[in-house]
Structures are given as structure tokens and as C-alpha cells.
């Protein structure tokens, strides 16, 4: 089983966009996949199901913190390949219930093996733009942490913090790998170029290349429920970029 989590405390950087593209590619590659949506906005859940009623439905992804038996996880089948533990508006109750010591003493010894024992090829975590147990818990079992960023001064400060969180998680999960995905890249922006120079100097957090350009085709593709590579009006290099990203990440 591969476990991938997508995180950044900053909102609107593309976390859910990357997750949905990985999920689309997982279907094409016939990987049995469980999406665990830990965001109260539940964009991944509604993106996959178009069921906005899920937003008000308790349980879902919150169950990963407490269930004692895999069969008690409230998993929803979306397609033959994709299952979902959905996000909803009350997921933030988790944040006050489970502190770091709970995560270390209970989540790590009990919930991590339970999740790892599930019959999937791939676990994909989408996370909220905040910090807390819903961001820390996936780091305890992730093989790969994807960190989408938009290159600006805030990203420089945010990435240094994220690096510290990941270093702390590495003491528990030493095999964790990280990749920064530079998203909404504008090749002609001098402020982005300056921020990228600074980001390259943040050691131990490699920037994945090539970068992902700012293109309207990305939201347009998702609004028609296809990945960028299947969106006919997108140019071939953009389609290849997104498809290669997903293929390489799932290899
Ligand atoms: N490369 C891109 N070019 C243009 N638009 C993009 C690109 N990547 C993502 N977007 C758009 O930017 C918006 C924010 O993306 P997304 O919802 O994936 O971010 P997020 O990090 O999950 O946000 P949140 O923190 O609120 O969960 C969406 O409308 C998405 O379609
Ligand atoms: Mg999101």
C-alpha cells in the first residue's frame, strides 16, 4: 500500500486539485484507492460524489481516529476503484479531542496499523488549510507528503514551518518523503522568481520540477469532471505535465 498526503496550512494552493488528479489517474491505473477527506470544506468529497448532503453528515473521515475494527469505518463506494471516507463541516471537532499525546499513544500504535491493514493499493489524504491533529495524523503513516505552494513570500515562511512539522514526524515515521509542487506558476513574474530562489534555499524540502503553470484549463477540466489530460481544449504540454505528474507519483 502507498500512502500519500497532501498538505499546506495555506488555503487555495491546489491541494484538492492534485488529490483529484491522483484519484483520476488511480482509476486509470486500476489501483484500489481510499480517499480520506480531512477538510471541513469537503471539496474532495463533493468533487468525487457531487453529493453536497455529505457536508452535513457526521462520521466519515473522523472515524480514522477512533474505530477499533476496519469494518466499522463508514466507507462509501464511489466507483469500483475509489472508496471515500468523507469530509464534513463538523470535522473540526476532531481538533479539540485528539492532541499530540493521543496521536502518539493511541493513533500510532492502534489506528496506523488498522489503516495500513485495509485492502487498498493507495490511500490519499486531503487535508484542511490549518494545523492540528488532522494534519499530523496522516504524517504518521504517509510514504509521501505533497506540499503544493504558490511561490510568494508567504510560501517561504510557510514552507519553513511545514519542514519543521515533517522533521518532527520523521522521528516517528522515518521513511516519509516530501515534494513541493510549485503551482499557479507564472514564468514572467519577477516576484515569483525571487520567492523561488528563496524556496530553493530551504534545505531538505525539494521543489519538484517542472512547475505547474497558472491555467484556466485546470478549474475548467475539474468542473467538467475530467482531469486536465482528458480536457480536450487544453494544450498537449499541459495535459502531459499533469498526466506525467500523476503517473510518476503513483509509480
Ligand atoms: N494550476 C492552476 N491553474 C489555475 N487554477 C488552478 C490551478 N491549480 C488549482 N487551481 C484552482 O485554484 C482553486 C484552489 O484550488 P484547490 O481547491 O485545489 O486548493 P486547496 O489548496 O485545496 O484549497 P483549500 O486550502 O481551501 O482546501 C481551485 O479553483 C482550482 O481549480
Ligand atoms: Mg482543498
Amino acid at each position: 500500500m502507498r500512502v500519500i498526503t497532501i498538505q499546506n496550512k495555506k488555503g487555495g494552493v491546489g491541494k484538492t486539485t492534485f488529490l483529484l488528479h491522483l484519484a483520476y489517474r488511480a482509476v486509470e491505473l486500476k489501483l484500489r484507492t481510499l480517499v480520506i477527506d480531512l477538510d471541513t470544506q469537503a471539496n474532495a468529497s463533493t468533487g468525487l460524489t457531487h453529493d453536497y448532503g455529505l457536508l452535513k453528515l457526521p462520521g466519515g473521515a473522523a472515524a480514522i481516529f477512533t474505530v477499533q475494527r476496519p469494518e466499522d469505518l463508514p466507507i462509501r463506494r464511489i466507483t469500483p476503484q475509489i472508496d471515500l471516507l468523507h469530509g464534513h463541516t463538523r470535522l473540526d471537532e476532531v481538533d479539540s479531542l485528539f492532541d499530540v499525546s493521543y496521536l502518539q499513544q493511541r493513533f500510532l500504535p492502534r489506528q496506523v496499523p488498522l489503516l495500513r491493514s485495509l485492502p487498498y493499493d493507495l490511500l490519499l489524504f486531503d487535508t484542511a488549510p490549518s494545523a492540528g491533529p488532522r494534519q499530523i495524523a496522516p504524517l504518521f503513516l504517509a510514504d509521501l507528503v505533497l506540499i503544493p505552494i504558490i511561490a510568494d513570500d508567504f510560501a517561504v515562511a510557510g514552507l519553513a514551518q511545514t519542514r519543521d512539522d515533517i522533521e518532527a514526524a520523521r522521528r516517528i515515521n522515518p521513511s516519509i518523503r516530501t515534494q513541493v509542487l510549485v503551482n499557479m506558476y507564472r514564468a514572467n513574474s519577477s516576484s515569483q522568481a525571487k520567492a523561488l530562489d528563496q524556496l530553493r534555499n530551504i534545505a531538505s524540502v525539494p521543489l519538484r520540477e517542472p512547475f505547474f503553470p497558472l491555467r484556466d484549463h485546470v478549474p475548467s477540466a475539474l468542473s467538467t469532471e475530467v482531469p486536465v489530460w482528458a480536457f480536450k481544449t487544453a494544450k498537449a504540454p499541459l495535459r502531459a505535465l499533469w498526466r506525467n505528474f500523476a503517473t510518476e507519483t503513483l509509480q
Side-chain angles (χ1 to χ4, degrees):
M1 177 195 275
R2 302 275 316 277
V3 182
I4 300 174
T5 179
I6 307 183
Q7 38 202 88
N8 188 332
K9 289 172 196 151
K10 201 159 158 27
V13 292
K15 293 182 290 295
T16 304
T17 300
F18 286 108
L19 177 129
L20 290 172
H21 279 84
L22 291 176
Y24 282 125
R25 192 70 188 126
V27 171
E28 293 171 1
L29 296 172
K30 300 198 167 28
L31 300 175
R32 285 282 296 131
T33 301
L34 176 63
V35 172
I36 303 176
D37 184 357
L38 287 168
D39 189 358
T40 51
Q41 303 170 101
N43 295 147
S45 304
T46 53
L48 290 168
T49 63
H50 315 290
D51 178 359
Y52 288 83
L54 290 178
L55 280 159
K56 297 272 173 239
L57 191 70
I64 66 163
F65 291 92
T66 51
V67 290
Q68 296 182 8
R69 301 179 313 165
E71 55 270 34
D72 294 336
L73 283 168
I75 290 173
R76 316 174 79 79
R77 168 93 13 124
I78 308 301
T79 71
Q81 245 88 42
I82 304 275
D83 283 358
L84 172 69
L85 283 167
H86 72 275
H88 55 79
T89 54
R90 291 175 63 182
L91 268 182
D92 51 358
E93 288 171 4
V94 162
D95 299 353
S96 52
L97 290 175
F98 308 118
D99 58 7
V100 171
S101 76
Y102 176 92
L103 291 181
Q104 291 187 348
Q105 286 159 28
R106 166 74 196 252
F107 188 84
L108 185 63
R110 297 194 201 171
Q111 306 310 104
V112 168
L114 183 146
L115 291 169
R116 280 241 167 236
S117 75
L118 297 172
Y120 294 99
D121 303 310
L122 179 66
L123 254 52
L124 288 176
F125 285 95
D126 196 13
T127 64
S130 57
R134 285 179 292 139
Q135 284 71 25
I136 297 168
L139 296 177
F140 285 5
L141 71 157
D143 307 302
L144 178 63
V145 186
L146 296 176
I147 309 164
I149 59 160
I150 300 171
D152 59 18
D153 291 344
F154 300 120
V156 177
L159 192 58
Q161 267 180 33
T162 304
R163 175 198 54 195
D164 295 344
D165 292 351
I166 291 169
E167 287 312 318
R170 275 214 177 93
R171 289 199 283 275
I172 285 159
N173 175 12
S175 60
I176 208 164
R177 290 188 302 121
T178 57
Q179 268 182 12
V180 174
L181 307 175
V182 177
N183 193 18
M184 307 194 205
Y185 174 61
R186 287 179 288 122
N188 55 4
S189 159
S190 57
S191 66
Q192 284 206 351
K194 188 167 146 259
L196 281 167
D197 275 345
Q198 291 176 278
L199 287 164
R200 284 196 181 92
N201 289 331
I202 300 179
S204 81
V205 190
L207 305 189
R208 187 183 192 281
E209 303 217 26
F211 303 154
F212 296 82
L214 180 72
R215 291 285 182 275
D216 282 345
H217 294 112
V218 177
S220 301
L222 289 180
S223 68
T224 56
E225 296 167 36
V226 294
V228 170
W229 59 84
F231 191 60
K232 296 290 180 247
T233 55
K235 293 219 170 78
L238 187 72
R239 288 160 54 182
L241 172 72
W242 281 84
R243 191 169 182 277
N244 290 344
F245 151 75
T247 308
E248 287 165 16
T249 302
L250 297 181
Q251 246 163 23

